[in-house]
Amino acid sequence: MRKFIFSIMMLIVASVATAQSARDLIRMGNRAYRAGQYGDAETLYLKSLDKSPSFEAYYNLGNTYIMQQKDSTAFENYKRADSLGTADPKRRAANFHNMGNIWYAQGVGAMRMQKGNPAAAFQQAVEFYKSSLRCNPDDNETRYNLAMALFMLKKNQNNGGGGGNDQNQDDKQDQQKQDQQKQDQQKQDQQKQDQQKQDQQQQQQKQEKKDEMSDQTAEQLLNSAQQDEKSVQRKLKENTNSRRRSLEKDW
């Protein structure tokens, strides 16, 4: 019985030692990765996986392949990481995010080389970015990447899914932009001319109104002067008549 218990304890200790050793290798791999020694980091992560497969080791290994421009191999390791799973939703979100980046890069490459099906690649990128946001809805970088992937997907769907007409489409858009700018400039020039014409009309109306007011003022002054003259003549006449009556009375 004691021998059996001792054997169980040895197995537990060996298991703990193996797991600890795997974590140590991951830590060493992380240090090599941060130092830019991606080949050494790859070796250490692989040794860790030999001892104890884990989400973290596969995910980190995928990152080393990305840095070595081995996207397809990186994607396979991200898939293995996802199959093992993790209790940390943010790590799972980062894994999906990187998978989306790989597909997005493939879509851009297909457009640049004018071959393949970029729309299908962008569609895959969209799905992985959505999966990432389901795990971590607050990731603004993933949200931005999703928006870009949706934009590129729509653009390539309008092109029939291929990248061969991308340059022609860009040329067409440039020509449309130039035409629109030309139309906008003509519209601005016309508006400027209309405004100048309107200003001239308003100035002319003001001058005419001013002249009209001057004529009215002159007429009013003339009328006033005439009224004053009549009043003066009337007073003179009254004074004359009064003097006549007075003289007649005195004489």
Side-chain angles (χ1 to χ4, degrees):
M1 182 67 177
R2 290 180 179 178
K3 185 176 181 181
F4 176 75
I5 294 174
F6 177 78
S7 299
I8 293 296
M9 290 179 64
M10 289 299 294
L11 287 173
I12 293 174
V13 171
S15 177
V16 172
T18 301
Q20 184 65 44
S21 178
R23 286 196 295 271
D24 288 341
L25 288 167
I26 289 176
R27 294 190 187 98
M28 293 169 64
N30 291 345
R31 286 194 293 269
Y33 183 90
R34 286 192 291 269
Q37 300 169 353
Y38 305 119
D40 294 340
E42 174 189 350
T43 300
L44 291 165
Y45 293 142
L46 288 171
K47 288 182 178 180
S48 174
L49 288 168
D50 288 339
K51 292 183 175 296
S52 178
S54 65
F55 174 93
E56 185 176 6
Y58 276 122
Y59 172 77
N60 290 1
L61 183 60
N63 290 343
T64 64
Y65 286 129
I66 286 291
M67 301 307 296
Q68 297 176 79
Q69 299 182 352
K70 300 177 181 179
D71 289 4
S72 59
T73 307
F75 187 81
E76 291 301 319
N77 281 276
Y78 290 141
K79 284 176 60 178
R80 294 189 184 100
D82 183 58
S83 65
L84 290 176
T86 176
D88 188 341
K90 288 188 177 181
R91 288 188 178 183
R92 191 159 185 244
N95 195 56
F96 283 131
H97 177 97
N98 289 358
M99 295 168 81
N101 286 350
I102 290 174
W103 278 108
Y104 187 92
Q106 288 188 13
V108 172
M111 290 178 61
R112 186 179 296 113
M113 300 300 295
Q114 298 186 4
K115 66 178 182 180
N117 190 349
F122 289 124
Q123 182 64 59
Q124 289 290 334
V126 166
E127 297 305 321
F128 281 113
Y129 289 141
K130 286 182 178 178
S131 296
S132 179
L133 287 172
R134 292 188 189 102
C135 298
N136 183 15
D138 298 328
D139 192 331
N140 290 328
E141 183 180 353
T142 302
R143 187 175 292 107
Y144 173 80
N145 287 10
L146 173 60
M148 288 298 299
L150 286 169
F151 172 78
M152 298 301 288
L153 172 61
K154 183 176 181 180
K155 179 178 180 180
N156 283 274
Q157 285 176 335
N158 292 339
N159 287 340
N165 295 328
D166 185 62
Q167 185 62 44
N168 293 335
Q169 182 68 17
D170 290 341
D171 292 342
K172 184 177 180 180
Q173 290 177 352
D174 290 340
Q175 184 62 43
Q176 290 176 346
K177 185 176 180 180
Q178 292 176 3
D179 293 342
Q180 185 63 42
Q181 290 176 345
K182 185 176 180 179
Q183 292 177 3
D184 292 341
Q185 185 62 43
Q186 291 176 347
K187 186 177 180 180
Q188 290 177 1
D189 293 341
Q190 184 63 43
Q191 289 176 346
K192 187 175 181 180
Q193 292 177 0
D194 293 342
Q195 185 64 41
Q196 291 176 347
K197 186 177 180 180
Q198 184 177 0
D199 292 341
Q200 291 175 355
Q201 290 176 348
Q202 289 178 351
Q203 187 67 27
Q204 183 177 358
Q205 290 174 356
K206 287 181 180 179
Q207 185 62 39
E208 290 175 353
K209 188 174 182 180
K210 184 177 180 181
D211 294 341
E212 181 180 355
M213 290 178 66
S214 299
D215 293 342
Q216 290 177 353
T217 302
E219 186 176 356
Q220 290 174 357
L221 291 173
L222 179 60
N223 291 334
S224 178
Q226 290 175 348
Q227 291 295 328
D228 291 342
E229 183 179 359
K230 289 178 181 179
S231 177
V232 170
Q233 290 176 355
R234 186 173 61 252
K235 289 181 179 180
L236 288 173
K237 186 177 180 181
E238 289 175 354
N239 290 336
T240 301
N241 291 335
S242 176
R243 287 176 63 188
R244 284 177 182 178
R245 285 192 295 269
S246 175
L247 290 172
E248 289 175 357
K249 184 176 181 182
D250 292 338
W251 181 77

